[in-house]
Amino acid sequence: MSTAQPRLKRERKRSREIFERAENVLVGGVNSPVRAFKSVGGEPLIIERGSGQYLYDADGNELLDYVCSWGAMILGHANPAISEAIAEQARRGTSFGVTTELELELATLITRAIPFIEKIRFVSSGTEATMSAVRLARGVTKQDFIVKFEGCYHGHADSFLSQAGSGLATLGIAECPGVPAPLAALTLNVPYNNLGAVERVFSQHKGKIAAVIVEPIAANMGVVVPETDFLKGLHEICKKNGALLIVDEVITGFRLRNGSVQDNFGVEADLTTLGKIIGGGVPVAAYGGRAELMDQVAPLGPVYQAGTLAGNPLAMSAGIAALKQLTKPGLYDEITQMAQRLAVGLCAGLAEAGIPGEVNAIGSLATVFFTLGPVKNYANAKRSDTKRYARFFREMLDRGIFLAPSQFEAAFVSAVHTPQDIDRTLAAAHEAFQVISSESAD
Ligand SMILES: *Cc1c(COP(=O)(O)O)cnc(C)c1O
């Protein structure tokens, strides 16, 4: 076995100093909660630059990155074509407040790759995309209830904040203050991978449900894979009851293939949301679907939704440069092979160290759960020993490897990770698992 990376070289003095100053002016020193490392402990990272599969912190430490900006950076950091496209557009102007041909170009790349998205609307964050898709579903069906799954995350709009994944799972926020109770009551939570539970809420709220929103692969409670026919079954229930299916592909879109992961599961949602990868690391998200549905959005229809910086030319240029590179033959097979090598190795490492664990992996997504038995839903995921995950995270970071700073997030493998990177990661994991198993022996 190859040796793990040496310990981080320097005291992270400068990072600490910057973070302490940040805490005075930014809430918790961050602009998104999980960045504060609250559930894993240790010093939050302050990053100065990225290149390929690496991040460099303010103290000059090199970190092998499996967070990849929460999945957005599938081509690695500072991808030359994306950087060049942004720089060139910046010289022509950064925002015009009216339409550019770039919007047409990115829309065409997306609708060609995902033909059941006939028309699309660009927004600037995944939250806006899912929020707008739900508004459209409510506007079209004239119903108010929505169904979502425990442990799925769809951004931070009011309707999505109960029993949600990602940062809410990380911080243990089950219900969010500030969301009016009458609005929260319109969100019906059911367990992931449980069609029977979906059937039941539909019979309890007959004719009143506007939409079901789902992550086609759940990646915000850690990775949880849908069972065969779960997504198909959902769509059938929706059709039978006059509700719309919204498939939230903010993570999965262009992550497992050049297009939608729905093709893997034989579904074509009424509405699909995209984000992260389609912006090439710049804020872009979108919602889209059949033309007759999307034509209900203003200016063609009465469902209002707008954005000052929506379709921003810098962001469109970055997205175009990213998606053009994702058509390369064999690219996704290679990324998947890397991720499989990682998942299989982690599984073996757990077994060797005698640590009860499960590795859920699909495509280029993976999560280590410190629990026995399959993880098929949020209740299963919550059984994971998050203290062990925190230990694992810190031991890996100490060896120069940056995993998600929360049990309830995915590890993302990118097109620039190499077999050597994976082997180095597994060597580090081997050492980390030894530390964990010796601690639990105490
Ligand atoms: C990240 C994410 C969102 C929210 O996107 P933001 O750009 O952070 O608002 C929505 N849905 C899913 C599945 C996500 O992973």
Side-chain angles (χ1 to χ4, degrees):
M1 175 159 295
S2 62
T3 54
Q5 196 61 10
R7 303 278 164 147
L8 290 198
K9 288 165 297 211
R10 275 164 258 176
E11 275 271 290
R12 286 191 277 138
K13 269 196 188 129
R14 192 153 176 268
S15 299
R16 180 179 314 160
E17 192 258 324
I18 293 170
F19 190 75
E20 278 167 9
R21 279 195 288 139
E23 284 180 296
N24 294 326
V25 283
L26 298 170
V27 182
V30 296
N31 280 304
S32 197
V34 181
R35 298 178 193 174
F37 288 21
K38 283 266 190 267
S39 71
V40 288
E43 306 279 332
L45 288 177
I46 306 292
I47 298 303
E48 222 162 58
R49 66 186 180 92
S51 176
Q53 65 273 58
Y54 297 110
L55 290 173
Y56 298 87
D57 75 4
D59 294 282
N61 288 301
E62 181 183 86
L63 299 160
L64 181 56
D65 182 19
Y66 287 101
V67 176
C68 295
S69 193
W70 310 96
M73 310 312 291
I74 195 168
L75 293 161
H77 298 285
N79 173 270
I82 297 176
S83 297
E84 189 45 47
I86 294 170
E88 200 180 302
Q89 183 56 44
R91 287 189 285 269
R92 296 165 190 249
T94 56
S95 185
F96 310 119
V98 286
T99 300
T100 64
E101 197 174 357
L102 298 166
E103 291 154 77
L104 166 64
E105 196 178 347
L106 187 57
T108 305
L109 284 168
I110 292 171
T111 54
R112 276 208 191 120
I114 312 177
F116 57 88
I117 298 183
E118 293 171 354
K119 281 196 183 174
I120 196 164
R121 168 64 59 84
F122 288 114
V123 291
S124 300
S125 72
T127 297
E128 272 183 275
T130 52
M131 183 182 81
S132 308
V134 164
R135 182 182 302 139
L136 176 56
R138 283 174 166 157
V140 169
T141 61
K142 308 207 166 20
Q143 297 306 326
D144 290 342
F145 283 95
I146 61 165
V147 175
K148 74 173 251 313
F149 295 89
E150 294 161 3
C152 280
Y153 180 70
H154 303 292
H156 67 87
D158 286 351
S159 296
F160 305 130
L161 296 181
S162 55
Q163 299 295 322
S166 189
L168 293 104
T170 305
L171 299 173
I173 300 171
E175 308 292 332
C176 175
V179 177
L183 183 58
L186 297 176
T187 300
L188 308 167
N189 277 291
V190 286
Y192 199 76
N193 273 327
N194 189 336
L195 286 175
V198 179
E199 297 266 20
R200 278 194 294 282
V201 291
F202 267 94
S203 62
Q204 284 156 5
H205 299 84
K206 228 171 182 31
K208 293 184 181 162
I209 295 173
V212 173
I213 185 165
V214 66
E215 286 182 74
I217 294 166
N220 286 292
M221 49 175 133
V223 174
V224 174
V225 178
E227 285 175 348
T228 320
D229 292 340
F230 174 60
L231 297 166
K232 255 190 175 158
L234 276 184
H235 206 184
E236 276 156 25
I237 296 170
C238 286
K239 281 182 192 156
K240 211 167 63 193
N241 291 280
L244 300 183
L245 179 66
I246 303 170
V247 172
D248 181 0
E249 295 221 43
V250 170
I251 281 185
T252 57
F254 294 88
R255 172 135 293 274
L256 282 85
R257 59 194 297 157
N258 178 44
S260 164
V261 76
Q262 293 172 59
D263 294 349
N264 301 34
F265 301 109
V267 282
E268 293 185 355
D270 300 295
L271 294 171
T272 297
T273 54
L274 296 164
K276 297 188 171 114
I277 288 175
I278 66 160
V282 182
V284 182
Y287 63 108
R290 289 195 306 279
E292 34 103 14
L293 275 178
M294 291 303 292
D295 286 351
Q296 296 304 308
V297 177
L300 292 185
V303 179
Y304 197 73
Q305 182 269 309
T308 303
L309 292 178
N312 173 267
L314 277 187
M316 294 293 112
S317 307
I320 293 163
L323 292 201
K324 277 185 174 166
Q325 294 177 74
L326 295 178
T327 56
K328 190 179 148 204
L331 178 106
Y332 284 95
D333 290 338
E334 274 176 40
I335 307 177
T336 301
Q337 277 166 21
M338 275 325 120
Q340 269 169 4
R341 190 185 180 105
L342 180 67
V344 168
L346 288 170
C347 233
L350 284 168
E352 202 185 322
I355 298 171
E358 282 286 318
V359 180
N360 278 4
I362 181 169
S364 52
L365 300 161
T367 298
V368 179
F369 291 101
F370 293 91
T371 178
L372 262 185
V375 179
K376 294 180 170 184
N377 57 36
Y378 191 39
N380 297 158
K382 281 201 290 193
R383 276 209 295 267
S384 184
D385 184 339
T386 53
K387 287 209 179 73
R388 277 199 170 168
Y389 183 88
R391 187 66 180 174
F392 179 55
F393 167 86
R394 289 198 305 272
E395 290 294 326
M396 294 299 276
L397 189 64
D398 222 19
R399 290 167 177 79
I401 290 159
F402 180 37
L403 298 173
S406 163
Q407 171 72 78
F408 304 108
E409 303 283 356
F412 295 94
V413 177
S414 78
V416 292
H417 284 96
T418 65
Q420 291 74 26
D421 292 331
I422 304 297
D423 290 348
R424 196 189 119 194
T425 306
L426 292 175
H430 178 83
E431 292 180 7
F433 290 149
Q434 295 305 321
V435 172
I436 291 170
S437 103
S438 69
E439 276 185 344
S440 45
D442 294 344

